[in-house]
Structure formats: C-alpha cells, structure tokens
Amino acid sequence: TCGCCENGNCVEYTNNCPHPIPDPEVLLNKVGPCLYCDIPGTFGCTVPSAFPPMPDVTICLQNCTWEIVVNSITIDYFEGLCPDNCELTIDSMDDIHAGNYCDIIAAIHDRINQGPPPPNPLPPDEVDKPPFCFSECLSTHENVHVEQLLQEWNILWPQVLVEIRNNSVEFDCQSARQESQARAQFLHSVASTMLNFYGLFSDRWNIPGRGEIPAEIAEKTCLNGYLALIEQKASDNGWPWPCP
C-alpha cells in the first residue's frame, strides 16, 4: 500500500488493478457517408477517419505505480454509396420489369466481365456513368472493405497495446496521488503513440488497389445472384427468355 498524510492521518491507497488484465475490444463506428462521391467513377467507398482515435482506458494503482488498462478503442470510418454516379440504381427486384430486364442483364454481364478499377481515377471526361448500379451488390462490396479495415487495424493493435502499457507513473503524494493526476501525466504519451501508429495504419490502408479483389469477388457473386432472380422473374411473368 501507499500512504499519504491527510489532515494529520495516514491514508492508504491500495492496489486496484484488475487481475488478469482483460482483453480490450476493438470497435468500428460509422460516422458518415462516402467522402469521395464527387470523383467520377466512384460508386461507393470505405475510409477511416483522418483523426487518430484515443483508447478508452482505466488508470489503476499497482504496487505504488499507476498503470494503464486499455478497455477499448473505437475506429471511426466513413462508408456509403454514390448513386448519383449511376444512371439508375436498382434497389430491389421491384425495380426490374419487362421494359428493362434485358438491358439490366446486359449491364450485369458487362460488370461481371470488368476487372478491378484502376488504382488512380480516370479524368472526368473519360468516365461514363454505368446505365445501372445495384445498391445491394455495391453495399456487399463496401462491407468487405469495412471488414478489411478491422483486419488491418488488428494487425497493428498488439503493438499499440504494448506501447501504451509500457507507460507508468510512480505514485506521489504531491503530484500523483489521484487517478486524475496520473491520467493527465499519461495523456501526452498515449496521444503520441496513437498518432504514430494511426499514421502507419492510414498509409497501409491507402495503398492503391488494396483489398479490391475480395471486394470485387463479393460484388460479382451478388450480381450472379441477381441474374438467377431475374431469370426466375421472367419465367414467372412470361417474359421472353433468353432476351431477344
């Protein structure tokens, strides 16, 4: 225990750190829509916030030393679709009818046969709006990127924890008697750690074309599912099949 004289009495400050130290949570928090819909040819995006997150921590006392227990960290991100960059967005099978199903089938085949988008956007005058976009399949694409965002951070997270937990503040009756005093002393070092690691995380995330192949596969699997649904709808409604 640590003791300090208060009003003529010795007051003891006992250990209160948890044992064992619990594993912290990594949480994702969507804070807004896609930021890049003004770029022609962008149909959706997922991007982490530019601001480094600060972990939620508990400051506790162990053997007259203030320690940091990391409870969780929340990574803010922006994610969404850009429907204005498509001529028409198909939100459900209700948007598909006898007058457009053949054109939609052709558009799906065109999209399935396309490769991944170029790592750098084309000039605006070289980008044509696709005739149809499929919101469910674009969302499926972006959901893969959300999962990749979490995976990318989890690669760095153990190193972040080590750096944060290496900080400690010696108990002192004058300057570090209270948890709030110790927390204030920890603040700069924790912020510096997060700034350094989040910069590395952002650099890794922004590698051109990173993660696009799995996202493309998920989107095209979704589009193939639409083809089967359209064929069934055509059969149910007596529409010509195959398309003329």
Side-chain angles (χ1 to χ4, degrees):
T1 61
C2 316
C4 295
C5 183
E6 296 181 10
N7 299 321
N9 298 310
C10 182
V11 176
E12 293 186 341
Y13 293 82
T14 58
N15 294 340
N16 64 349
C17 287
H19 294 284
I21 300 296
D23 291 330
E25 289 186 284
V26 178
L27 307 171
L28 292 179
N29 179 42
K30 180 178 176 179
V31 293
C34 175
L35 298 175
Y36 303 123
C37 288
D38 58 341
I39 299 176
T42 299
F43 309 115
C45 72
T46 300
V47 59
S49 169
F51 298 102
M54 286 291 286
D56 174 69
V57 302
T58 298
I59 310 301
C60 61
L61 193 61
Q62 186 68 32
N63 299 329
C64 294
T65 302
W66 291 106
E67 307 282 358
I68 298 178
V69 176
V70 181
N71 302 314
S72 65
I73 190 167
T74 300
I75 308 297
D76 291 336
Y77 70 96
F78 298 88
E79 183 270 333
L81 305 184
C82 305
D84 290 345
N85 289 346
C86 308
E87 293 290 347
L88 180 65
T89 297
I90 303 298
D91 293 316
S92 72
M93 288 297 295
D94 292 339
D95 296 327
I96 301 173
H97 50 74
N100 67 8
Y101 79 103
C102 287
D103 291 336
I104 288 174
I105 290 171
I108 290 176
H109 283 298
D110 286 345
R111 178 68 188 99
I112 289 174
N113 291 330
Q114 285 178 358
N120 298 310
L122 295 171
D125 57 354
E126 295 183 23
V127 177
D128 294 325
K129 288 185 177 183
F132 302 100
C133 289
F134 299 83
S135 59
E136 178 185 350
C137 299
L138 290 174
S139 294
T140 298
H141 181 121
E142 295 309 321
N143 288 342
V144 171
H145 288 318
V146 173
E147 182 61 28
Q148 290 169 341
L149 188 153
L150 180 60
Q151 293 170 357
E152 197 74 47
W153 178 254
N154 281 338
I155 293 173
L156 293 175
W157 184 224
Q159 301 172 60
V160 178
L161 283 177
V162 169
E163 289 283 339
I164 292 176
R165 289 169 174 168
N166 279 342
N167 290 280
S168 63
V169 172
E170 293 301 315
F171 181 89
D172 180 82
C173 291
Q174 301 303 316
S175 62
R177 180 186 304 191
Q178 303 298 330
E179 178 270 343
S180 59
Q181 294 174 309
R183 182 182 289 270
Q185 294 189 44
F186 281 126
L187 182 62
H188 177 76
S189 60
V190 173
S192 177
T193 294
M194 293 310 307
L195 184 64
N196 291 337
F197 275 100
Y198 202 68
L200 179 59
F201 167 68
S202 297
D203 289 343
R204 292 165 62 100
W205 179 259
N206 289 319
I207 294 173
R210 66 157 304 285
E212 278 301 324
I213 292 178
E216 289 278 313
I217 291 172
E219 180 184 346
K220 291 176 181 180
T221 299
C222 175
L223 290 171
N224 275 309
Y226 257 97
L227 288 176
L229 291 174
I230 295 171
E231 181 177 2
Q232 183 61 53
K233 187 169 186 176
S235 174
D236 293 344
N237 289 278
W239 301 341
W241 192 269
C243 281

